[in-house]
Amino acid sequence: MRLFDFFRLTRRNRNSAETARQRLQVLVALDRSGGDGPDFLPLLQRELLEVIRKYVEVDLDRVKVELERGNGFSTLEVNVELPTAHLERRAAV
Amino acid sequence: MSKVIVVTSGKGGVGKTTSAAALATGLAQRGHRTVVIDFDVGLRNLDLIMGCERRVVFDFVNVINDGIRLHQALIKDKRVENLFILPTSQTRDKEALTREGVEKVIAELRKEFAYIICDSPAGIERGAQMALYYADEAVVVTNPEVSSVRDSDRILGILNSKSRRAEIGEEPIKQHLLLTRYDLDRVQRGDMLKLDDVLEILAIPVLGVIPNDPLVLQCSNVGMPVILEPKSKAGQAYRDAVARMLGEQVELRFTQPQKRGLVDWLLRRSA
Ligand SMILES: Nc1ncnc2c1ncn2[C@@H]1O[C@H](COP(=O)(O)OP(=O)(O)O)[C@@H](O)[C@H]1O
Ligand SMILES: [Mg+2]
């Protein structure tokens, strides 16, 4: 029982330290590549929206931007909810 | 009615961020819509403790200065319902927060959240004052250590003089003591200030006593607030503190030696 606990604990320690190591690698790589990295994101979003707005009315509260940073690459997901009124009008044409 | 609660201390490294993350998570677990804001501009680390650093797109500073909508910067916790994180910027400095900007964000959050927890930077200057300015209540995080207690005393002075409530002569900020990294063995040996010693100086109601607990580090390694670790004593103590925030009467734990069995007592005697 004691021994079992001991092994479980050490294994868990190692696991959490390994997780910490991996998280740090991603973080430090981003920091060194020029701070936060995505400080261009607000600008990117603004310009993207300007383009979209040429075609559709966009409610700023219906824009969702998600980012998942990974070790080799990151994915940026931009979701713009389009108003149904607009789409219906389109469908009617 | 929403409550703005600042987690502050004066001194750095005493456990503010650990506590802000734990208390916010605990309040959300109890069903209250809660957001926790990182006010430590330039030294962002609440997102690390919460384990959402890879999901930060926009931050508090972007909302104030770059026309980003608040809901775009809020990160919804994946483990706990009702819990949101507003991260800060790693690249800007403390000047990036303006009082008007912070006021607007807090006013908007108040419409939606029951609890708004502000994780303060260390110090007693601008950054810390910004974090506490709009607070209704303050959790003063203190370690049983001379320098920490002294700094807590200074921050109590600032809460009473430099906050919005103080300036407009409203009812003062309600203050609570959260004594963290408490090591009962050392207290018993007379090597560490005890709760009563700290209370004698600070004289504010106790929200909780959080034991020193190695699991706090393990949880921060993996980005999980310690309150989510059922085996952790610190986590249990934070759960008690959350219950007290909600007005429940919960006795203090981890401040008295556990009653030991006879065998244990004999072993100790012979040691
Ligand atoms: N109850 C505790 N037991 C053990 N370590 C703790 C405890 N609370 C905080 N720590 C550790 O203390 C250090 C500082 O904590 P942190 O929350 O970042 O402080 P602050 O935000 O006040 O600078 C961290 O390494 C953290 O893991
Ligand atoms: Mg901190």
Side-chain angles (χ1 to χ4, degrees):
Chain A
M1 170 65 192
R2 263 277 162 81
L3 200 66
F4 178 71
D5 267 0
F6 173 76
F7 275 115
R8 216 185 40 191
L9 256 176
T10 47
R11 208 183 57 222
R12 183 180 180 176
N13 271 328
R14 211 172 294 141
N15 278 343
S16 88
E18 179 52 29
T19 309
R21 198 181 65 83
Q22 290 168 3
R23 292 173 73 207
L24 261 172
Q25 281 183 333
V26 176
L27 280 168
V28 171
L30 279 168
D31 283 348
R32 289 187 184 154
S33 71
D36 238 358
D39 245 336
F40 65 93
L41 282 173
L43 207 63
L44 172 72
Q45 175 184 311
R46 202 170 311 148
E47 290 186 8
L48 263 178
L49 286 177
E50 271 166 29
V51 172
I52 296 172
R53 274 182 163 160
K54 282 191 191 164
Y55 303 92
V56 224
E57 275 288 308
V58 188
D59 178 355
L60 270 182
D61 283 320
R62 302 273 163 194
V63 181
K64 210 155 169 44
V65 184
E66 277 180 31
L67 180 69
E68 186 74 45
R69 294 194 180 87
N71 229 330
F73 62 91
S74 307
T75 38
L76 179 73
E77 204 181 292
V78 184
N79 276 302
V80 183
E81 211 176 283
L82 302 178
T84 45
H86 173 86
L87 294 177
E88 275 157 16
R89 192 157 16 96
R90 269 286 165 105
V93 176
Chain B
M1 262 301 281
S2 61
K3 266 187 196 163
V4 178
I5 302 176
V6 61
V7 178
T8 185
S9 70
K11 193 173 189 306
V14 295
K16 287 180 295 296
T17 302
T18 305
S19 300
L23 296 174
T25 305
L27 287 164
Q29 280 184 308
R30 297 286 306 265
H32 303 279
R33 213 171 151 79
T34 302
V35 58
V36 55
I37 310 178
D38 192 344
F39 271 84
D40 205 346
V41 183
L43 289 171
R44 156 165 127 199
N45 60 31
L46 177 68
D47 55 318
L48 301 179
I49 299 296
M50 297 298 298
C52 63
E53 73 275 8
R54 293 187 183 204
R55 297 168 59 212
V56 175
V57 190
F58 301 124
D59 57 51
F60 194 18
V61 174
N62 292 146
V63 175
I64 290 179
N65 295 316
D66 307 316
I68 294 298
R69 294 295 175 101
L70 178 57
H71 84 109
Q72 293 183 0
L74 288 174
I75 300 177
K76 187 176 180 346
D77 190 88
K78 285 190 170 164
R79 296 157 296 212
V80 180
E81 270 292 292
N82 299 314
L83 180 59
F84 290 78
I85 299 110
L86 183 55
T88 194
S89 166
Q90 174 76 353
T91 46
R92 314 272 185 105
D93 57 35
K94 304 260 185 290
E95 307 303 311
L97 295 185
T98 58
R99 205 174 259 181
E100 300 70 43
V102 173
E103 179 171 21
K104 259 170 91 180
V105 170
I106 294 210
E108 211 176 325
L109 290 171
R110 273 187 190 275
K111 288 187 219 147
E112 228 188 292
F113 290 94
Y115 287 94
I116 299 158
I117 309 293
C118 305
D119 179 24
S120 173
I124 54 172
E125 301 300 325
R126 189 187 150 93
Q129 292 191 17
M130 197 64 87
L132 66 78
Y133 190 73
Y134 293 101
D136 302 312
E137 300 192 14
V139 172
V140 179
V141 179
T142 308
N143 291 166
E145 206 181 281
V146 172
S147 57
S148 172
V149 178
R150 182 230 212 159
D151 287 0
S152 292
D153 190 57
R154 295 192 65 188
I155 217 71
L156 289 176
I158 289 173
L159 287 166
N160 287 331
S161 62
K162 300 257 164 79
S163 61
R164 185 188 130 272
R165 280 174 176 265
E167 282 182 6
I168 65 173
E170 254 183 35
E171 199 184 314
I173 293 179
K174 209 163 138 196
Q175 299 159 343
H176 311 270
L177 175 67
L178 190 64
L179 190 58
T180 65
R181 311 205 65 167
Y182 199 67
D183 186 333
L184 190 55
D185 284 335
R186 301 188 74 178
V187 169
Q188 299 250 265
R189 271 186 263 129
D191 289 343
M192 187 179 261
L193 290 169
K194 58 180 178 298
L195 173 62
D196 287 344
D197 300 333
V198 177
L199 279 178
E200 191 181 42
I201 311 266
L202 297 180
I204 55 173
V206 183
L207 180 67
V209 176
I210 313 295
N212 198 54
D213 180 350
L215 284 177
V216 171
L217 174 62
Q218 268 165 264
C219 286
S220 89
N221 279 342
V222 302
M224 176 172 95
V226 69
I227 199 166
L228 293 179
E229 169 57 65
K231 284 192 279 291
S232 155
K233 284 190 176 172
Q236 291 163 28
Y238 278 121
R239 268 192 292 284
D240 289 355
V242 167
R244 291 185 200 106
M245 282 175 108
L246 299 174
E248 293 164 26
Q249 298 284 332
V250 184
E251 251 190 76
L252 282 175
R253 282 195 273 178
F254 315 115
T255 52
Q256 299 294 330
Q258 287 182 323
K259 295 204 174 63
R260 294 182 191 274
L262 180 65
V263 178
D264 208 83
W265 182 74
L266 283 170
L267 280 174
R268 287 218 140 202
R269 292 260 303 186
S270 57

